[in-house]
Amino acid sequence: MLTITRELRDRIVAHARADHPDEACGVVAGPAGSGRPERFVPMLNAARSPTFYEFDSGDLLKLYREMDDRDEEPVIVYHSHTATEAYPSRTDVSYASEPFAHYVLVSTAEGNGEEDPYQFRSFRIVDGEITEEDVQVVEAYQV
């Protein structure tokens, strides 16, 4: 299960909406080994595409060096789908290289409904296998 604060969830969704009609992407880093997402790091979609995302290699290298310096790891790797449901594509699966990360997808596609104007789903992707997991939204993490 992914446990995430309402603030972080809202920031991911806001990034997805702001970049629409292109896909948005980013990372939420957390203390190494904690599994707790804390530091929101929106990234530029270097592909600038409505159907595909790609992290800029220089930005990604800088982020990983920063996480190493701060003893962090990528807890969430997120991106949006602008015209389809929030479910990993074959391309998404092929790029999933963090076996301990939660892969969050946000759909900003029309037709999600008034009650739920977006989809926010989390998956584990390990060795090409997709497993959807529950998402628990909390006001703050329990200490």
Side-chain angles (χ1 to χ4, degrees):
M1 175 188 327
L2 169 63
T3 301
I4 186 171
T5 63
R6 185 173 312 283
E7 177 193 1
L8 283 171
R9 191 256 341 247
D10 291 350
R11 290 179 81 181
I12 291 170
V13 170
H15 183 204
R17 287 181 170 157
D19 281 14
H20 189 89
D22 290 340
E23 289 193 5
C25 58
V27 170
V28 182
S34 73
R36 189 175 61 241
E38 291 184 352
R39 188 167 63 92
F40 177 69
V41 186
M43 305 283 282
L44 174 69
N45 178 355
R48 295 195 172 135
S49 167
T51 59
F52 179 75
Y53 82 97
E54 181 178 30
F55 290 117
D56 177 271
S57 58
D59 289 348
L60 198 57
L61 179 60
K62 179 182 170 195
L63 172 62
Y64 271 81
R65 285 181 175 157
E66 207 174 79
M67 286 190 298
D68 280 346
D69 291 346
R70 297 170 68 129
D71 198 26
E72 292 176 328
E73 63 189 3
V75 177
I76 294 173
V77 177
Y78 73 87
H79 76 280
S80 62
H81 282 182
T82 61
T84 59
E85 71 173 314
Y87 190 84
S89 68
R90 274 184 259 136
T91 303
D92 298 338
V93 172
S94 72
Y95 285 160
S97 61
E98 294 290 343
F100 300 108
H102 303 270
Y103 286 88
V104 166
L105 278 93
V106 177
S107 174
T108 57
E110 287 186 31
N112 283 327
E114 282 295 313
E115 290 295 310
D116 190 12
Y118 61 88
Q119 294 176 357
F120 186 99
R121 297 167 72 184
S122 184
F123 304 87
R124 295 292 187 142
I125 304 174
V126 179
D127 295 330
E129 186 158 330
I130 303 166
T131 306
E132 186 165 6
E133 61 184 350
D134 291 334
V135 177
Q136 178 184 28
V137 179
V138 298
E139 294 304 320
Y141 298 120
Q142 300 296 318
V143 180

